[in-house]
Each structure stands twice: as structure tokens, then as C-alpha cells.
Amino acid sequence: MWKRMSAGVMAALLLALPVAEEAARASGGSAVNDLTGTKARQLAEVLVDNYGVTGVQYAIRDEGKVVLSGGLGVTESGSKTPVAKEAMFGIGSVSKMYVTAAAMMLADAGKINIDEPLTAYIPEFKMADERYKRITPRMLMNHSAGLYGSHYKNSMLLDDNDTGNHDQLLENLRSQRLKSDPGEYSVYANDGFQLLEILVERVSGMSYSEFLARHVGEPLQLTSTKTPLDEFDRGRLYPIRFPGIAGALPPENANVIGTGGVYSTAEELTLFAEVLTGEKPELLSAASASAMQQPEYRRGVWVKDKTNTFGYGLGWDSVDLAPFGDYGIKALTKGGDTLMYHSALIALPEEDVSIALLTSGGSSVYNTAAATNILLAYLKQKGDIAEILPAPTFSEPVKKDMPDRLRAYAGWYGTVGSTLRITVDDGEVKLPALMGLIPEQTYVYTGGDEFTGADGRTVISFDEQTNGHTYIRVKSHLEFPGLGQAVMAYYEYQKLADNPVTETVSKAWKERNGRTYYALDEKINSLFYLSPSVLTKKIELNEDGGYANGAKITNEDHAVNVAEIPVMNGRDAFDLEFFRKDGVEYLRAAGRTYVGEAAVKPIYGGDSSIVTIPAESGGARWFKIGGEAAGRTMTVDQPQHAGFVVYDAKGALVSFSAAGGSRTAVLPEDGLIVFGGRPGDVLKINMTAESK
């Protein structure tokens, strides 16, 4: 996911500093001899050169004044360019801080009590689980409501502010159960903040976008903090790009506004941070700001570790972000990711200092690491800390004799979407790559009931928790070359109980094993088509045949989520429900409907044909690319809201009409095509031989 910086890259970094200096000056940056400004520009270069970032914007605010502001971008041709402080970025899940603050403003006004049932404010909120009546606004803010997690359908669209995801949420939840008792533990849940958005609308009597404009934007005189439903110049949005697609993509609209849909700038985000830290009591009381900063995550089941990147408050990802505690400083943080934009906000409430770092491309994890080190440089420059502590170093672990009792932890483990058989033998445990950040490796017993990876920086253990579950706990000092380190402690897997099934049930699921199902109800301008793992589900049974994609099989057509994993890895859970219509098998999961691969037929390879979007499909039709069509050039005459996406045999994107604008594609052998549009739309297909 990242590459190490060679000496050559470091040399290029130093040579490029004058470019970064110019970028910073253009947007109000500090002089080149400013140690913090130099550090910020160095890290912006690293992000651009090594982490897939095409634009960086950052700002530090201290006691109400912007003391550092800069930005660096890279053009499609690869040249470095300034990023203006007025350029707007999507801030992803940092948007959760706005809806949390909005709810707390209503609490300040005496209009809600965050510990009263949510149903008192949204009477039509119902679920297929009586425990929903115990959910409170506080539980939405601290991720402990027990919701499955996220409804993503049509949430990320290109130049389209469709409100369907918001409008259908309550109906979608009506048929869903909870995965745990409300308040039992915290695990990241986007739907909770969508419910908060609805709460704000119901109680205030205005749209959420209007509430933000009136109660946040106007008092703070914000000109760059907007939602997809606001009227503003979309040309101010920093351009987004995707490999293989020429030019900038149309604007990205995250139509889950409460959970991730706000646009802003680094400077305006640091100004809003003053609301969150109690410096603007006319907007949000100091008591409410303080309440948001409490360690809510400790109310329920959690990892024992005190040094961590995770530690939920109300809205906040962490209310005691490492490594600031090592300096005796309380630090709050929230990160955010859409498909294309990424963000990090860190606030030091006792110092009245905050930093925001926004990017196009990359990851909020990288942003947080970079922002942490920029902020430490600033604190040192101010004299608030004497020195920046050296990063810990690690050596190869020394294996010790393992107690025989630990062998009992061997067995089947699961997380959302997958299962894994784990052996505990000869003092060793082998695990695949974790969180996409920790490499596959063997962990050896090093004492204290812990196993240490070959990298020396990752430690695992088997934790028996008070809720009766056994988890694999992971603690790792992640190294991001050129950016710094981050400490993450969380639960990766949950031990699974045996689930024997009947021969009839086993046969039904074995027939599905390995088959892929394709989403029918995602709009053709969805960003998920860029990398469609969310839009396809390949059924994978564990060897014992009791679990499919991590869900517990209950009968021939159903499997239910059993993952009750605190922190992050139990998020975005789903059940699997199969049904048949007109001889075709379909799958329902996480609010989407998928069609089985048996119904995905080869595209007609003749010179001309039509594809009609049927009313019952919800908007998409999938086709395979057989030998007859392979190598031919397809040109599509399509209605305004229709389009297509083409993938090669490995699932890599070949053409995406909504993103690149082209209506022509050369069809790769054994690839896939998905056509989409409104019910009844007719797309006319013309095929010609590929030109040599």
C-alpha cells in the first residue's frame, strides 16, 4: 500500500522543496526558515510522491489565528503546483463532527436529551428487533447503538446529489435487526450518524443542510463549508482523478451528508474545531464540548490498551490520540475517507490548537500520521514540548516456550465477510495481512500470553471478554515511511462456535460456493464502479460448511451475521438472504439486491443490438464478454442518465462512461460489462472490429 523511500526519493524531496515553498506562500504559508512550515512541506511532498495523493491542503490554527496554511498538488502530467487555501475538499467522516455538534446544540437548547430513546424524536424509527427502542442519540454518537453499520447504496455519486439513500434509510432499517445490545460496545457505524441527521431535521424543522448553514456557516462566516445539496461553484472543489481515466472526474457527491458529505477547507475546518473544543460557547456550550471529549469507548467492551489511535468520544475517533499523551497533552482526532477525498482533524483543547490536513487521493490514516508530526513540530517550535520523542524501534522476537493451555484457542475465527481456521502449535500462530496495513506473517510466543510477529512491531493475544466472546487482539506500531508511525490496538477476529447444518442445507450452500452475485440497484454514475468490490459478492464457505462469508448459515437460503467485534472490524455487517424469481436466483445483503452469475449472459457480439433497463432490475444489467465480442470496439448510444462500465478478466477498470465521458470501449476477453440507467432506458450497441 505504500513504498519505502529510497535515498534517491529523499534527494528528490529536498530538491523539490522550493516548489513546495512557493505553494505554501501562494496559500498563506510560512517562510522557508519556519521549522513547522518546512516540516509540513516535506510531508506534503512525501504524500504526493509515495502515497497516491494528488493534492494536499493543510492549516494550523492557534488561539483563533491561522499560523500555518499551505498546499501542494500534482497535475496529471506530474508537475507540482500550489493548492490554494480556498480550494474545497470532501472531508468524509469528519462530517460526523458537524452532525454531532448539531445534535449537541439541540441538547443545549433543551430540545433533546441525548440519553432519551431515539424514538422520542423520530417516532417512525423502527427495526425488526425490539431492542431498537433502547437506542439513544448518545449511542449513535459513540457508535454503540448495535446497528449493523452502513447502507452504502447510491451514497457516492458523480455530479449527482440524489437523496435516495437518506430518504430510504428508515425503511431499510425497518427490516433489519441489531447485532448487539444497545450500549454493549462501540464499533464504527455510519448509519448512526445518518440517523442523527434525520433527528436534527425532525427536531429543528429544517433540512440538515439549512441547519448547518444557519447555525454553523453564518455565525462563523464560513464561505467554503457546504453540502452536496447547497448551491455553490463546483469548480472550487479540488479535482479528483483515477488511474486510467484521462482528466479530472466529475465532482464527487457523498450523499450521506451526516456521516460523510460535507465539503470544506483546512482553514475553515480548524475554525470549526474551535466550536468542538468549547471556544465558541455562543454556538456550542463548553459543557457539551467537554461531554464530547469523554472516553465513551470505555463504557463497554474494549481492548485493554491505553495507547491507541482509536478511542471514541461523541463523534471523535479518539479523545486521547497517541502519541500526544506521552507529552502530557490531550489530543482529539477525527479522520475521514470518501472514495476520492481523505481528511484528518486533530485538536488540542487545552492548548486551543488544531490542525487539518485534507487530500485528494491517499488515506485518512496517512493524513493523521502526517498531521501528527506537523503538529509536534509546531509544539516544539513554540516551546510547548522540549523535544520530539524518538520513534520506538523493534527487533526480531525471541521465541519462548508456550503454555499448553493456549492450544485451546485454536479453531475457526471470523470477521465481517470472512472466516479463518487458526492453529496454535509449537508456539506459533500464522495470520494473513491485517487491515491492509500489517503484512502476513508468523507470530511466535514471547511470554505474557502474547505472540509477536516477525516484524517485531505487531503483537497478538487471545482475549476472553465479558460478553462471552473470545477475540484476537492486535496491537501494532504501524510504520509509514516518510510520514511517521501510528499505534493501533483493536480486535481482528472473533472465535466462532461450531455450526453443524443438515445435508439439505449443506447441499444448497455448496452449490453456491464460489459463485459471484452482482448488484442490480446501484446507479451507473456511482463511484463504487471504480473498484466494485462492494457491488459484487462471491460466496465463500468455510471448510466445515457452517459459515458463508463470515455469516452463520441458518437454512438453505439464509445466513446471519454473528460478528460482535468492538472497535473497527465488526463494522458494516450483513446477512445473506437468497430468493428466486422466474428461475433466477437473487441475493439481498446490506440493503442491496444482487443477481446470480448464472443469469449474467454473454453480450451479443454482432454488429448491433440493444440493452433495455427493466423496471424490476433497479437500474443495472451485467454481461460477460465472450469470444464473439472480445476484441471488438463497442460504441453505445445512450440516454442522458444511462451509461456503462467495462472491466477486464481480472476486474480492473477499462472504461467508465460517467467518469471519463467516453461512449466507446475495446472489449477485453473474459471481461464484464454493466449497463445502467433509468427503468425503460434503451441503450443502442454498435460493434466494430478493433482498429490495428
Side-chain angles (χ1 to χ4, degrees):
M1 187 169 285
W2 62 85
K3 54 186 179 182
R4 291 194 173 275
M5 291 176 57
S6 64
V9 172
M10 285 299 295
L13 173 64
L14 294 173
L15 289 173
L17 280 178
V19 176
E21 176 189 350
E22 181 181 350
R25 284 175 175 167
S27 53
S30 305
V32 71
N33 61 356
D34 178 334
L35 296 177
T36 306
T38 300
K39 184 69 171 180
R41 294 189 293 274
Q42 288 176 340
L43 293 179
E45 289 273 357
V46 173
L47 286 166
V48 167
D49 291 342
N50 296 277
Y51 289 88
V53 169
T54 58
V56 186
Q57 186 190 71
Y58 51 83
I60 294 178
R61 189 178 296 266
D62 189 344
E63 294 186 346
K65 295 181 180 179
V66 174
V67 295
L68 176 69
S69 180
L72 177 67
V74 59
T75 66
E76 192 170 15
S77 64
S79 61
K80 302 288 173 57
T81 181
V83 173
K85 64 182 181 180
E86 296 85 7
M88 296 166 62
F89 290 70
I91 64 171
S93 285
V94 178
S95 305
K96 291 179 172 67
M97 300 312 305
Y98 289 79
V99 76
T100 302
M104 297 302 284
M105 291 175 186
L106 293 175
D108 282 343
K111 295 182 178 180
I112 71 168
N113 180 331
I114 66 171
D115 293 311
E116 289 293 320
L118 183 62
T119 52
Y121 311 108
I122 312 177
E124 64 270 43
F125 169 56
K126 292 180 172 60
M127 297 184 71
D129 187 324
E130 286 298 302
R131 294 177 293 176
Y132 82 90
K133 297 175 182 177
R134 292 153 47 190
I135 294 174
T136 65
R138 179 190 297 275
M139 295 173 187
L140 302 179
M141 298 183 223
N142 67 21
H143 300 279
S144 72
L147 300 168
Y148 265 39
S150 304
H151 283 83
Y152 286 124
K153 186 170 76 174
N154 295 325
S155 60
M156 303 286 177
L157 302 178
L158 289 167
D159 201 20
D160 182 349
N161 59 7
D162 186 339
T163 62
N165 187 288
H166 166 279
D167 300 341
Q168 296 162 15
L169 178 64
L170 293 177
E171 183 60 31
N172 285 332
L173 290 173
R174 190 179 294 269
S175 59
Q176 198 171 80
R177 63 186 184 91
L178 294 174
K179 64 186 175 189
S180 61
D181 286 340
E184 182 183 351
Y185 64 87
S186 293
V187 59
Y188 207 80
N190 284 317
D191 280 353
F193 294 83
Q194 288 301 98
L195 284 171
L196 277 180
E197 178 184 340
I198 294 172
L199 178 150
V200 171
E201 292 178 330
R202 295 290 191 275
V203 174
S204 70
M206 63 183 76
S207 76
Y208 177 62
S209 294
E210 183 182 358
F211 185 95
L212 283 186
R214 184 176 301 181
H215 295 282
V216 178
E218 292 176 11
L220 295 179
Q221 299 182 0
L222 304 180
T223 60
S224 304
T225 300
K226 305 292 182 180
T227 81
L229 296 179
D230 288 328
E231 293 291 333
F232 67 96
D233 178 9
R234 262 57 178 178
R236 291 190 57 200
L237 293 173
Y238 191 82
I240 53 176
R241 296 198 295 273
F242 190 82
I245 298 177
L249 276 61
E252 177 194 64
N253 286 3
N255 294 316
V256 279
I257 301 175
T259 202
V262 175
Y263 307 108
S264 193
T265 64
E267 289 193 9
E268 288 201 355
L269 191 50
T270 59
L271 179 55
F272 179 66
E274 295 201 322
V275 176
L276 301 174
T277 55
E279 301 298 327
K280 302 288 185 182
E282 67 276 16
L283 300 185
L284 181 70
S285 72
S288 286
S290 176
M292 292 168 64
Q293 300 169 25
Q294 301 310 305
E296 293 281 322
Y297 64 101
R298 292 294 180 189
R299 289 174 174 263
V301 178
W302 197 259
V303 291
K304 64 183 179 182
D305 307 89
K306 296 185 182 301
T307 302
N308 204 347
T309 297
F310 305 119
Y312 302 134
L314 298 181
W316 294 106
D317 284 344
S318 178
V319 294
D320 41 25
L321 176 66
F324 292 94
D326 296 339
Y327 302 89
I329 296 173
K330 181 179 179 65
L332 316 169
T333 190
K334 185 75 192 80
D337 299 273
T338 64
L339 271 293
M340 307 306 296
Y341 290 118
H342 310 274
S343 61
L345 172 67
I346 302 174
L348 312 180
E350 294 166 2
E351 283 73 19
D352 191 13
V353 173
S354 63
I355 182 172
L357 194 151
L358 313 179
T359 62
S360 173
S363 166
S364 65
V365 175
Y366 307 148
N367 293 23
T368 302
T372 293
N373 283 291
I374 296 169
L375 196 50
L376 288 174
Y378 179 67
L379 295 174
K380 181 177 182 296
Q381 183 179 334
K382 282 185 64 184
D384 289 353
I385 61 176
E387 294 293 338
I388 297 176
L389 300 174
T393 58
F394 302 91
S395 57
E396 187 175 346
V398 177
K399 187 177 180 180
K400 297 182 179 180
D401 291 336
M402 183 190 78
D404 283 344
R405 59 182 169 78
L406 296 184
R407 297 179 187 272
Y409 289 114
W412 281 103
Y413 285 75
T415 188
V416 174
S418 66
T419 55
L420 176 70
R421 185 188 288 277
I422 291 177
T423 60
V424 185
D425 192 30
D426 192 28
E428 296 184 355
V429 177
K430 186 174 182 179
L431 293 178
L434 307 176
M435 287 193 80
L437 299 169
I438 302 169
E440 177 181 350
Q441 59 188 323
T442 297
Y443 299 78
V444 300
Y445 185 73
T446 50
D449 288 352
E450 293 184 331
F451 299 76
T452 302
D455 62 3
R457 63 179 64 247
T458 305
V459 177
I460 69 167
S461 64
F462 297 94
D463 283 10
E464 296 181 11
Q465 268 290 359
T466 55
N467 61 358
H469 290 305
T470 297
Y471 300 105
I472 293 181
R473 165 187 153 266
V474 177
K475 182 173 183 178
S476 185
H477 285 75
L478 302 173
E479 177 71 29
F480 305 122
L483 296 180
Q485 293 187 355
V487 182
M488 287 191 181
Y490 67 99
Y491 287 130
E492 178 78 29
Y493 293 104
Q494 171 185 318
K495 200 169 194 298
L496 300 176
D498 291 338
N499 182 40
V501 297
T502 66
E503 184 175 341
T504 301
V505 171
S506 177
K507 179 181 178 182
W509 284 90
K510 284 181 178 179
E511 289 177 354
R512 297 186 184 108
N513 192 30
R515 292 181 181 175
T516 300
Y517 292 73
Y518 299 88
L520 294 175
D521 42 15
E522 190 75 8
K523 297 180 74 170
I524 201 62
N525 58 346
S526 169
L527 280 138
F528 286 121
Y529 286 111
L530 291 172
S531 181
S533 59
V534 175
L535 304 180
T536 60
K537 284 200 180 297
K538 184 177 181 179
I539 303 303
E540 297 179 348
L541 299 184
N542 70 335
E543 292 173 12
D544 288 355
Y547 292 85
N549 300 77
K552 181 180 178 180
I553 295 172
T554 58
N555 60 38
E556 292 96 324
D557 292 328
H558 293 84
V560 299
N561 169 72
V562 293
E564 297 183 357
I565 307 175
V567 192
M568 286 293 285
N569 267 35
R571 63 178 289 180
D572 299 343
F574 55 84
D575 297 339
L576 301 173
E577 177 191 357
F578 293 90
F579 66 98
R580 281 153 293 280
K581 183 177 180 182
D582 298 329
V584 175
E585 185 171 68
Y586 297 87
L587 164 66
R588 290 195 187 99
R592 282 197 178 90
T593 300
Y594 302 75
V595 67
E597 64 180 35
V600 178
K601 304 300 183 182
I603 187 75
Y604 176 63
D607 290 345
S608 62
S609 61
I610 64 170
V611 172
T612 302
I613 305 300
E616 63 271 17
S617 77
R621 291 187 66 184
W622 295 77
F623 293 87
K624 299 174 183 176
I625 301 173
E628 184 182 28
R632 304 202 78 187
T633 298
M634 177 184 74
T635 301
V636 183
D637 181 8
Q638 60 198 36
Q640 180 181 356
H641 298 285
F644 65 90
V645 189
V646 179
Y647 305 100
D648 68 16
K650 296 182 179 180
L653 182 72
V654 172
S655 182
F656 185 4
S657 64
S662 176
R663 298 192 178 189
T664 299
V666 178
L667 302 185
E669 187 172 5
D670 296 327
L672 284 168
I673 307 174
V674 56
F675 296 97
R678 294 179 175 176
D681 277 352
V682 176
L683 296 86
K684 299 177 181 179
I685 316 298
N686 290 292
M687 299 279 195
T688 57
E690 182 181 6
S691 59
K692 301 295 184 182

